[in-house]
Amino acid sequence: MKEANLLDGRLVAHQIHRETMEVVQKLRQHGVQPSVVFIRVGQFPPSELYVRMKQKKAQELGIKSQVISFAEDVSQNEVLEKLYQLNQDPSIHGILVQLPLPSHLSEKEIALAIDPKKDIDGFHPINLGKMLLGEKDCFYPCTPLGIQELLKRYNIEIEGKEVVILGRSNIVGKPMAALLLQKSKYANATVTIVHSFSQNIKEHCQRADILIAAMGKARFVTKDFVKAGAVVVDVGVSRVADASSHKGFKIVGDVDFDEIKKIASWITPNPGGVGPMTIAMLLSNTVKAAELSLFS
Ligand SMILES: NC(=O)c1ccc[n+]([C@@H]2O[C@H](COP(=O)([O-])OP(=O)(O)OC[C@H]3O[C@@H](n4cnc5c(N)ncnc54)[C@H](OP(=O)(O)O)[C@@H]3O)[C@@H](O)[C@H]2O)c1
């Protein structure tokens, strides 16, 4: 049997960035430069890296960006004050607070404090609710949106298909399910979510035409979970010890890529699949926020 084709997130993200850049240029002709603020708290190396990557890409696309870094012991009020100030500033179109936050801060309260019109991460309850209703004048969470876009651009049939999602987080699993079961194009799927209380996880997965793994459990999904010809999307990012790497670890996904590529029809590489799509959708959301601001 032929090996799976790659759902190349880097390639598709590159196309989306080009489209985003064209919108940035059009907005500039109307005197608007899209602008985003990234907020970081404490010193958590993966978060620092993610923010650096997002900021670099924003700058390449002509989006103005700024990073605000708070110390680990910043108070909830200080963060909220800053958010209220940024909400009021008409020159700022998008605000992103990089997660995770230290445990003394309430992620829920912080998500609520961001103006939904600037919530480019799509985590505000108003945006999540609008997404559930299938409305378009809002922001959808970037990782699920990026996965749907990746499937769409590779013409993967979603309608009527069995989709199984491993993981039910508010930022990946639940919004992913909501997007793919919408009564609309590139959706209309039959969706199952499994989580840590689910029974017979492997049997659910074996039914999937499209399997989306978002658990953060290194190589949990082995070949015996996957139906021949299935489409497999690997969202997971886990560190595992690796003596051959100078860092002492390497990053792996939730999926045993080398084995599953032998039986799947399509598979995301990891890295190079979902990650670049998440950043592409974030910057596309930023530009959408700037466009919507012209009409509000
Ligand atoms: N590449 C990207 O752009 C990107 C973006 C976001 C996240 N990620 C990665 O994707 C992964 C998931 O992220 P997240 O924020 O959704 O994680 P999360 O909040 O930790 O959620 C993990 C989900 O997986 C479920 N789960 C964990 N272990 C399980 C098991 N043994 N059996 C069944 N279900 C299990 C949990 O079930 P319960 O609800 O029952 O606890 C939970 O619903 C992480 O590795 C994260 O780093 C990548």
Side-chain angles (χ1 to χ4, degrees):
M1 194 178 168
K2 172 176 163 292
E3 276 197 355
N5 298 297
L6 286 187
L7 293 163
D8 187 341
R10 284 201 183 104
L11 186 79
V12 175
H14 186 69
Q15 289 165 1
I16 295 171
H17 289 314
R18 275 213 313 265
E19 293 159 17
T20 300
M21 201 152 44
E22 281 168 21
V23 184
V24 171
Q25 280 156 6
K26 280 193 192 128
L27 282 166
R28 281 194 151 169
Q29 286 161 11
H30 289 88
V32 176
Q33 183 181 17
S35 127
V36 59
V37 173
F38 301 108
I39 296 183
R40 229 173 29 75
V41 181
Q43 289 186 324
F44 180 53
S47 292
E48 285 169 15
L49 175 68
Y50 290 143
V51 168
R52 259 202 318 277
M53 281 162 52
K54 290 168 188 172
Q55 189 184 30
K56 182 168 172 279
K57 193 46 87 178
Q59 281 167 348
E60 280 172 28
L61 303 187
I63 297 171
K64 197 171 162 195
S65 72
Q66 184 192 341
V67 178
I68 297 175
S69 299
F70 286 111
E72 180 81 24
D73 60 354
V74 67
S75 70
Q76 178 86 5
N77 274 345
E78 268 177 275
V79 179
L80 294 179
E81 276 300 320
K82 178 52 77 181
L83 290 175
Y84 295 138
Q85 202 184 314
L86 295 169
N87 284 343
Q88 303 304 320
D89 183 343
S91 72
I92 306 293
H93 303 107
I95 303 170
L96 176 145
V97 178
Q98 185 64 46
L99 302 179
L101 295 171
S103 56
H104 69 281
L105 298 177
S106 159
E107 286 183 4
K108 195 171 156 189
E109 205 183 334
I110 285 171
L112 267 172
I114 298 173
D115 181 344
K117 295 194 181 83
K118 300 190 179 192
D119 169 39
I120 50 172
D121 251 340
F123 295 162
H124 192 287
I126 288 188
N127 284 316
L128 288 169
K130 284 187 162 189
M131 178 197 63
L132 204 57
L133 297 171
E135 292 182 22
K136 304 282 182 214
D137 64 332
C138 58
F139 302 103
Y140 295 173
C142 303
T143 300
L145 182 61
I147 293 170
Q148 187 185 35
E149 192 63 30
L150 188 62
L151 297 173
K152 177 176 153 185
R153 296 210 183 203
Y154 277 99
N155 287 317
I156 304 292
E157 210 179 326
I158 305 174
E159 282 194 10
K161 298 295 177 190
E162 291 276 347
V163 173
V164 177
I165 301 167
L166 290 135
R168 58 170 166 189
S169 72
N170 290 335
I171 63 171
V172 188
K174 284 188 208 165
M176 186 79 255
L179 280 183
L180 296 185
L181 62 74
Q182 286 302 320
K183 193 166 184 172
S184 66
K185 231 175 157 195
Y186 310 112
N188 283 326
T190 303
V191 182
T192 304
I193 301 192
V194 298
H195 46 77
S196 65
F197 287 76
S198 299
Q199 292 178 7
N200 308 322
I201 291 183
K202 193 194 287 185
E203 286 71 21
H204 283 294
C205 293
Q206 285 168 340
R207 265 200 344 266
D209 300 309
I210 301 175
L211 183 63
I212 302 174
M215 291 180 296
K217 292 276 174 259
R219 295 191 183 120
F220 181 95
V221 179
T222 48
K223 198 175 165 182
D224 49 331
F225 280 60
V226 179
K227 179 167 84 175
V231 175
V232 179
V233 175
D234 188 1
V235 187
V237 179
S238 300
R239 279 185 181 197
V240 294
D242 178 14
S244 69
S245 154
H246 71 279
K247 295 182 207 144
F249 67 86
K250 66 176 175 182
I251 301 293
V252 298
D254 286 352
V255 163
D256 182 354
F257 179 86
D258 290 337
E259 284 303 310
I260 291 176
K261 74 175 182 198
K262 295 177 188 161
I263 56 164
S265 58
W266 292 88
I267 190 167
T268 53
N270 191 350
V274 175
M277 290 302 296
T278 299
I279 297 185
M281 300 330 285
L282 178 79
L283 298 175
S284 155
N285 274 353
T286 304
V287 168
K288 181 178 176 181
E291 279 183 299
L292 291 174
S293 76
L294 283 176
F295 305 106
S296 63

